[in-house]
Amino acid sequence: MANFVLQVPNNLKSFTVSASVSSNGSPPLSSSGSSGGVGGPVILELPLDKIRRPLMRTRANDPIKVQELMDSISEIGLLTPIDVLEVEGVYYGFSGCHRYEAHQRLGLPTIRCKIRRGTKETLRHHLR
């Protein structure tokens, strides 16, 4: 069992924390694995089905690259998290298409994400 201290600002209205052994075989994050700055990106494991992929149908992934990533993820885990934008509690993924598909094809329920908070305007900018 591990112990940790979580410090949050007094004005934080709500948040969710979950802890588990990584489902994708990746090593646990160290304290340097996520940004400690206020408002900076945070690295977390998110369920694949909670990440919306609005640009998914715009291009096909390279099947060779997906297979190479599947082999790598199976052997050593995911090394680079995908970038995710969180807007009003909804997660949007615009990059990491090959890593995302590799996780799907491996049947992994979660993926490591670098989450950055955005606004509806930020989301509109990504959809242009």
Side-chain angles (χ1 to χ4, degrees), residues 51-76:
I51 302 170
R52 294 187 183 181
R53 307 286 299 176
L55 304 178
M56 196 168 204
R57 293 180 190 89
T58 61
R59 66 181 175 93
N61 289 332
D62 177 350
I64 294 170
K65 185 172 181 179
V66 171
Q67 184 60 55
E68 289 171 349
L69 281 164
M70 289 172 64
D71 296 342
S72 174
I73 291 166
S74 295
E75 187 175 327
I76 62 173

Side-chain angles (χ1 to χ4, degrees), residues 13 37-38 61 77 82 94:
K13 293 182 181 178
V38 175
N61 289 332
I82 65 169
F94 295 98

